[in-house]
Amino acid sequence: SVGVARSVRRSTDEFTRFCVMSIDGNSLKADENNKIHYYDTEFKGSYAVTYKADDTTVSTLDDVLEGTLFGSLTAPEIPEKEGHTVKGWNVTADTAVTANMTAEAVYEINKYTVTFKADDTTLSTVENVDYGTLFSSVTAPEIPAKEGYTAKGWSVADNAAVTGNLTAEAVYEQNKYTVTFKSGDTTVSTVENVVHGTLFSAVTAPEIPAKEGCTAKGWSVAADTAITANTTAEAVYEINKYTVTFKADDTTLSTVENVDYGTLFSSVTAPEIPAKEGYTAKGWNIAADTTITANMTAEAEYEVITYTITFDTDGGTTIAPKQFTALDTITAFAEVPEKEGFDFEAWYLGTEKFEFGSKLTSDITLTAKYTAKEIIVTVKSADFVDATIVIAYNTSVTASQFDNKEGYEFKGLFTDQALTTAYNGEALTQDTTLYASYEAIEEPTTTVEEPTTTVEEPTTTEEEPTTTAEQPTTTDKQPTKETETTTSAKKGCKSSVVGSGLVLFLGLALSSVAFVLRKKEQ
């Protein structure tokens, strides 16, 4: 019925095809679904209403009668738009359609909150961040420092769009370090990527290289040290220590302990080397610039003292100086000086005779002492007992040393027994034998007692030669009285001469002894 028709709500369906009928002068229209729509006869015209969302047509209502309120139109559902909330159409509901029109879907961009955190601690919150805003455009706080870590940024990429409430976590990268192991200036090994906080004991350390004179004690970094930066661990060595013992002839003088390896021996406090009789301390058997590399024993070194004996030969032949050690016992020297006219007596040290069999304690000078040589002159005579005369070396025998003997006259000395070569006082340098010549003195026997006879005797004496010459045998056998007297006188004289010779010899001997004694006293 008409009433029903008029009660039909104005449709908002899209009119794709329709037919028009007239009822009571009013218009009826059928849509594509064969639904009947009633329109007042006041219809003057129709328009198209287009629904769009972001330039995309959602739908179009054609033949919308003029004056139709927009709110009465059956609008399509506004399509969802990511990051936005549908707010409606940009045409108000009470707007009347008076022309073709486009209703734009109205979206309100979603707003979100971005929360910045670091290890569950909220650092800051940024609200009303539009959907699609790049994370890099959100004002982020400074990432706080974290020990052992390096801040790498946020857990949200810079080019990420904000599409919802977002929590950005601070991203930390645990620091990693390099641990270098060194010995002196030499790198032994390097361990990389050691995580912050790793205990040094957990780092694989190399074997500490041997070092001469030292004992490896470990590394300069304690085992419980946490690695918090690039670290260099130095090999720690303890210098070896040694003992130096000082000895003298197997007797320990002192001991110095804890002497560092490489210490110069000259730097070690050495004791005084004890004195040793006959020796001079020369030092130790270890050179001053020797380095201590082990336990050592330093032996005192001694040098036997050498002394020199210098000889003062007092004009004699030269004797070269002789050297002896303080340990040598001085024995008599085979070589003695020779000095013309003297016999070597002994060596003197100062005013004292040097005693052999002793040892030297210093350099000395020995002086030669001599005894003047004595020449023994043996004087022989055909008529007298041999006499001995002692004279000084290189002196002469003088005639004054020889007296006439009773009944004989000294005639001179000769060098030969035949009395042909006279001794003329030449200086004698060796024992010598000389020959004395005496000539008998003929003395008248009756000069005093028988003057008469004595006077006559010459005549007789003068005659005797003739008789003697003529009768030599007879003369010898039967001498005349005068001859016998003379002979007797001669014999008596010879006996007297022998006695006188003995006295002379004894006198000369005593003189010689006295002479020798005087020489020795000198």
Side-chain angles (χ1 to χ4, degrees):
S1 70
V2 175
V4 173
R6 290 180 64 83
S7 65
V8 176
R9 186 178 179 185
R10 293 188 178 101
S11 175
T12 57
D13 292 338
E14 180 180 5
F15 292 91
T16 57
R17 66 191 175 95
F18 59 90
C19 64
V20 177
M21 294 182 295
S22 173
I23 301 177
D24 296 334
N26 295 317
S27 296
L28 294 175
K29 290 184 179 179
D31 62 19
E32 60 182 354
N33 295 319
N34 296 319
K35 290 181 178 180
I36 301 301
H37 299 274
Y38 169 79
Y39 296 94
D40 290 334
T41 56
E42 299 174 359
F43 175 74
K44 296 179 178 180
S46 61
Y47 301 98
V49 177
T50 302
Y51 294 89
K52 285 189 171 185
D54 290 338
D55 296 329
T56 299
T57 298
V58 179
S59 69
T60 301
L61 295 177
D62 294 321
D63 298 324
V64 177
L65 295 177
E66 181 181 4
T68 301
L69 293 177
F70 181 79
S72 64
L73 297 177
T74 302
E77 184 178 0
I78 298 175
E80 291 183 356
K81 183 179 180 180
E82 187 179 5
H84 291 73
T85 299
V86 175
K87 302 302 287 183
W89 299 100
N90 63 347
V91 180
T92 61
D94 59 355
T95 300
V97 177
T98 59
N100 293 328
M101 64 183 302
T102 299
E104 295 284 346
V106 176
Y107 295 96
E108 183 178 81
I109 192 165
N110 292 343
K111 303 277 186 184
Y112 301 105
T113 299
V114 177
T115 301
F116 292 91
K117 285 188 173 184
D119 292 336
D120 296 329
T121 297
T122 298
L123 304 177
S124 70
T125 300
V126 180
E127 298 178 339
N128 298 316
V129 177
D130 289 345
Y131 173 89
T133 300
L134 291 179
F135 179 76
S136 60
S137 298
V138 180
T139 303
E142 184 177 357
I143 297 176
K146 181 179 180 180
E147 185 180 3
Y149 292 81
T150 299
K152 302 302 289 185
W154 300 98
S155 57
V156 180
D158 285 345
N159 60 355
V162 177
T163 60
N165 290 330
L166 183 65
T167 296
E169 294 284 348
V171 175
Y172 294 95
E173 182 178 79
Q174 196 167 29
N175 291 343
K176 294 183 179 181
Y177 307 107
T178 297
V179 178
T180 302
F181 294 89
K182 297 185 89 175
S183 174
D185 294 328
T186 301
T187 297
V188 181
S189 72
T190 300
V191 179
E192 298 179 337
N193 297 318
V194 178
V195 175
H196 179 92
T198 300
L199 292 180
F200 179 76
S201 59
V203 180
T204 302
E207 183 178 357
I208 297 177
K211 183 177 180 181
E212 185 179 3
C214 297
T215 299
K217 303 302 287 184
W219 299 99
S220 60
V221 180
D224 59 354
T225 299
I227 303 301
T228 58
N230 290 331
T231 302
T232 297
E234 296 284 349
V236 175
Y237 296 92
E238 182 177 83
I239 193 164
N240 293 342
K241 295 183 181 292
Y242 302 103
T243 298
V244 178
T245 302
F246 293 89
K247 285 188 170 185
D249 292 337
D250 296 327
T251 298
T252 298
L253 305 177
S254 71
T255 299
V256 180
E257 298 179 338
N258 297 319
V259 178
D260 288 346
Y261 174 91
T263 300
L264 289 180
F265 179 73
S266 58
S267 299
V268 180
T269 302
E272 183 176 357
I273 297 177
K276 183 178 180 181
E277 186 178 1
Y279 291 84
T280 297
K282 301 301 290 182
W284 303 97
N285 65 340
I286 298 175
D289 59 354
T290 298
T291 54
I292 305 301
T293 58
N295 292 331
M296 302 181 78
T297 297
E299 294 283 350
E301 287 189 329
Y302 294 93
E303 181 178 79
V304 66
I305 300 173
T306 299
Y307 297 113
T308 300
I309 298 180
T310 303
F311 298 94
D312 177 2
T313 59
D314 189 22
T317 53
T318 301
I319 302 245
K322 298 182 185 296
Q323 289 189 330
F324 299 90
T325 71
L327 307 179
D328 293 333
T329 298
I330 310 304
T331 58
F333 308 125
E335 183 182 9
V336 295
E338 295 182 359
K339 183 176 181 181
E340 188 175 3
F342 295 87
D343 288 320
F344 175 76
E345 177 187 331
W347 292 106
Y348 277 75
L349 180 59
T351 59
E352 299 294 328
K353 184 177 181 180
F354 180 72
E355 294 296 332
F356 289 99
S358 60
K359 296 179 180 180
L360 296 179
T361 58
S362 65
D363 294 334
I364 62 173
T365 296
L366 295 181
T367 302
K369 294 294 183 181
Y370 302 94
T371 300
K373 283 186 178 181
E374 295 180 341
I375 300 301
I376 298 175
V377 180
T378 301
V379 179
K380 292 189 175 185
S381 172
D383 298 308
F384 303 100
V385 175
D386 294 348
T388 300
I389 300 174
V390 178
I391 63 173
Y393 179 85
N394 204 31
T395 59
S396 303
V397 177
T398 61
S400 61
Q401 294 176 277
F402 294 89
D403 297 328
N404 293 330
K405 300 182 183 298
E406 186 177 354
Y408 285 83
E409 180 182 0
F410 176 70
K411 304 300 289 182
L413 294 172
F414 294 85
T415 61
D416 61 323
Q417 188 174 2
L419 307 179
T420 58
T421 303
Y423 168 71
N424 296 317
E426 294 89 347
L428 299 179
T429 59
Q430 61 183 3
D431 293 343
T432 303
T433 298
L434 296 178
Y435 298 91
S437 174
Y438 290 91
E439 183 176 302
I441 300 173
E442 294 186 7
E443 296 179 0
T445 56
T446 56
T447 302
V448 175
E449 295 178 357
E450 298 178 359
T452 304
T453 304
T454 300
V455 172
E456 294 177 354
E457 276 182 357
T459 303
T460 305
T461 301
E462 290 176 0
E463 292 177 356
E464 278 183 355
T466 303
T467 305
T468 302
E470 292 178 356
Q471 296 179 351
T473 302
T474 303
T475 305
D476 290 341
K477 289 180 180 181
Q478 294 180 356
T480 60
K481 186 179 181 179
E482 291 178 354
T483 302
E484 288 178 358
T485 302
T486 303
T487 302
S488 295
K490 287 183 179 182
K491 286 181 179 179
C493 182
K494 187 171 185 179
S495 297
S496 178
V497 168
V498 170
S500 299
L502 180 59
V503 172
L504 175 62
F505 172 74
L506 292 175
L508 289 174
L510 290 174
S511 298
S512 298
V513 171
F515 179 78
V516 170
L517 291 175
R518 284 196 302 274
K519 286 292 183 180
K520 286 184 177 180
E521 289 175 356
Q522 294 175 358

PDB file of all heavy atoms in Angstrom, residues 464 468 475 479-489:
ATOM      1  N   GLU A 464     252.223 -22.724  52.725  1.00  0.00           N
ATOM      2  CA  GLU A 464     251.354 -23.895  52.682  1.00  0.00           C
ATOM      3  C   GLU A 464     250.747 -24.134  51.328  1.00  0.00           C
ATOM      4  O   GLU A 464     250.660 -25.261  50.896  1.00  0.00           O
ATOM      5  CB  GLU A 464     250.251 -23.754  53.727  1.00  0.00           C
ATOM      6  CG  GLU A 464     250.739 -24.170  55.093  1.00  0.00           C
ATOM      7  CD  GLU A 464     249.623 -24.097  56.101  1.00  0.00           C
ATOM      8  OE1 GLU A 464     248.509 -23.629  55.730  1.00  0.00           O
ATOM      9  OE2 GLU A 464     249.800 -24.508  57.235  1.00  0.00           O
ATOM     10  N   THR A 468     250.568 -27.460  49.825  1.00  0.00           N
ATOM     11  CA  THR A 468     249.210 -28.033  49.636  1.00  0.00           C
ATOM     12  C   THR A 468     248.990 -28.382  48.202  1.00  0.00           C
ATOM     13  O   THR A 468     248.459 -29.418  47.863  1.00  0.00           O
ATOM     14  CB  THR A 468     248.149 -27.036  50.086  1.00  0.00           C
ATOM     15  OG1 THR A 468     248.362 -26.710  51.447  1.00  0.00           O
ATOM     16  CG2 THR A 468     246.757 -27.610  49.910  1.00  0.00           C
ATOM     17  N   THR A 475     248.075 -33.182  52.411  1.00  0.00           N
ATOM     18  CA  THR A 475     247.496 -32.074  53.191  1.00  0.00           C
ATOM     19  C   THR A 475     246.218 -32.503  53.830  1.00  0.00           C
ATOM     20  O   THR A 475     245.930 -32.219  54.972  1.00  0.00           O
ATOM     21  CB  THR A 475     247.254 -30.849  52.285  1.00  0.00           C
ATOM     22  OG1 THR A 475     248.462 -30.509  51.644  1.00  0.00           O
ATOM     23  CG2 THR A 475     246.691 -29.708  53.065  1.00  0.00           C
ATOM     24  N   PRO A 479     247.255 -32.776  58.068  1.00  0.00           N
ATOM     25  CA  PRO A 479     247.359 -31.310  58.046  1.00  0.00           C
ATOM     26  C   PRO A 479     248.417 -30.870  59.029  1.00  0.00           C
ATOM     27  O   PRO A 479     248.683 -31.536  60.008  1.00  0.00           O
ATOM     28  CB  PRO A 479     245.955 -30.858  58.482  1.00  0.00           C
ATOM     29  CG  PRO A 479     245.356 -32.036  59.213  1.00  0.00           C
ATOM     30  CD  PRO A 479     245.967 -33.244  58.633  1.00  0.00           C
ATOM     31  N   THR A 480     248.923 -29.757  58.709  1.00  0.00           N
ATOM     32  CA  THR A 480     249.924 -29.190  59.599  1.00  0.00           C
ATOM     33  C   THR A 480     249.204 -28.689  60.810  1.00  0.00           C
ATOM     34  O   THR A 480     247.969 -28.597  60.839  1.00  0.00           O
ATOM     35  CB  THR A 480     250.662 -28.014  58.932  1.00  0.00           C
ATOM     36  OG1 THR A 480     249.680 -27.032  58.626  1.00  0.00           O
ATOM     37  CG2 THR A 480     251.358 -28.464  57.667  1.00  0.00           C
ATOM     38  N   LYS A 481     249.932 -28.294  61.739  1.00  0.00           N
ATOM     39  CA  LYS A 481     249.340 -27.783  62.958  1.00  0.00           C
ATOM     40  C   LYS A 481     248.530 -26.556  62.681  1.00  0.00           C
ATOM     41  O   LYS A 481     247.456 -26.394  63.183  1.00  0.00           O
ATOM     42  CB  LYS A 481     250.485 -27.474  63.981  1.00  0.00           C
ATOM     43  CG  LYS A 481     249.962 -27.068  65.329  1.00  0.00           C
ATOM     44  CD  LYS A 481     251.132 -26.807  66.287  1.00  0.00           C
ATOM     45  CE  LYS A 481     250.637 -26.426  67.655  1.00  0.00           C
ATOM     46  NZ  LYS A 481     251.744 -26.196  68.625  1.00  0.00           N
ATOM     47  N   GLU A 482     249.124 -25.737  61.822  1.00  0.00           N
ATOM     48  CA  GLU A 482     248.369 -24.523  61.485  1.00  0.00           C
ATOM     49  C   GLU A 482     247.090 -24.877  60.764  1.00  0.00           C
ATOM     50  O   GLU A 482     246.027 -24.311  61.001  1.00  0.00           O
ATOM     51  CB  GLU A 482     249.234 -23.608  60.593  1.00  0.00           C
ATOM     52  CG  GLU A 482     250.411 -23.007  61.341  1.00  0.00           C
ATOM     53  CD  GLU A 482     251.264 -22.168  60.418  1.00  0.00           C
ATOM     54  OE1 GLU A 482     250.978 -22.168  59.178  1.00  0.00           O
ATOM     55  OE2 GLU A 482     252.160 -21.510  60.918  1.00  0.00           O
ATOM     56  N   THR A 483     247.205 -25.862  59.845  1.00  0.00           N
ATOM     57  CA  THR A 483     246.007 -26.269  59.108  1.00  0.00           C
ATOM     58  C   THR A 483     244.993 -26.840  60.035  1.00  0.00           C
ATOM     59  O   THR A 483     243.818 -26.585  59.959  1.00  0.00           O
ATOM     60  CB  THR A 483     246.375 -27.282  58.033  1.00  0.00           C
ATOM     61  OG1 THR A 483     247.331 -26.709  57.150  1.00  0.00           O
ATOM     62  CG2 THR A 483     245.150 -27.726  57.248  1.00  0.00           C
ATOM     63  N   GLU A 484     245.443 -27.650  60.909  1.00  0.00           N
ATOM     64  CA  GLU A 484     244.519 -28.242  61.866  1.00  0.00           C
ATOM     65  C   GLU A 484     243.874 -27.168  62.704  1.00  0.00           C
ATOM     66  O   GLU A 484     242.699 -27.227  63.006  1.00  0.00           O
ATOM     67  CB  GLU A 484     245.267 -29.215  62.773  1.00  0.00           C
ATOM     68  CG  GLU A 484     245.680 -30.508  62.051  1.00  0.00           C
ATOM     69  CD  GLU A 484     246.471 -31.434  62.969  1.00  0.00           C
ATOM     70  OE1 GLU A 484     246.711 -31.028  64.120  1.00  0.00           O
ATOM     71  OE2 GLU A 484     246.789 -32.556  62.543  1.00  0.00           O
ATOM     72  N   THR A 485     244.700 -26.232  63.073  1.00  0.00           N
ATOM     73  CA  THR A 485     244.139 -25.135  63.883  1.00  0.00           C
ATOM     74  C   THR A 485     243.056 -24.417  63.123  1.00  0.00           C
ATOM     75  O   THR A 485     241.983 -24.129  63.627  1.00  0.00           O
ATOM     76  CB  THR A 485     245.246 -24.139  64.271  1.00  0.00           C
ATOM     77  OG1 THR A 485     246.246 -24.857  64.997  1.00  0.00           O
ATOM     78  CG2 THR A 485     244.719 -23.029  65.128  1.00  0.00           C
ATOM     79  N   THR A 486     243.420 -24.143  61.893  1.00  0.00           N
ATOM     80  CA  THR A 486     242.429 -23.441  61.054  1.00  0.00           C
ATOM     81  C   THR A 486     241.209 -24.281  60.862  1.00  0.00           C
ATOM     82  O   THR A 486     240.083 -23.831  60.937  1.00  0.00           O
ATOM     83  CB  THR A 486     243.044 -23.096  59.692  1.00  0.00           C
ATOM     84  OG1 THR A 486     244.216 -22.310  59.905  1.00  0.00           O
ATOM     85  CG2 THR A 486     242.055 -22.338  58.834  1.00  0.00           C
ATOM     86  N   THR A 487     241.476 -25.562  60.599  1.00  0.00           N
ATOM     87  CA  THR A 487     240.346 -26.473  60.387  1.00  0.00           C
ATOM     88  C   THR A 487     239.528 -26.586  61.634  1.00  0.00           C
ATOM     89  O   THR A 487     238.304 -26.558  61.601  1.00  0.00           O
ATOM     90  CB  THR A 487     240.859 -27.848  59.975  1.00  0.00           C
ATOM     91  OG1 THR A 487     241.634 -27.709  58.781  1.00  0.00           O
ATOM     92  CG2 THR A 487     239.685 -28.805  59.721  1.00  0.00           C
ATOM     93  N   SER A 488     240.214 -26.700  62.725  1.00  0.00           N
ATOM     94  CA  SER A 488     239.481 -26.783  63.982  1.00  0.00           C
ATOM     95  C   SER A 488     238.697 -25.527  64.221  1.00  0.00           C
ATOM     96  O   SER A 488     237.548 -25.551  64.667  1.00  0.00           O
ATOM     97  CB  SER A 488     240.465 -26.996  65.153  1.00  0.00           C
ATOM     98  OG  SER A 488     241.102 -28.252  64.998  1.00  0.00           O
ATOM     99  N   ALA A 489     239.387 -24.457  63.910  1.00  0.00           N
ATOM    100  CA  ALA A 489     238.671 -23.177  64.068  1.00  0.00           C
ATOM    101  C   ALA A 489     237.432 -23.144  63.203  1.00  0.00           C
ATOM    102  O   ALA A 489     236.372 -22.704  63.591  1.00  0.00           O
ATOM    103  CB  ALA A 489     239.623 -22.023  63.738  1.00  0.00           C
TER     104      ALA A 489
END
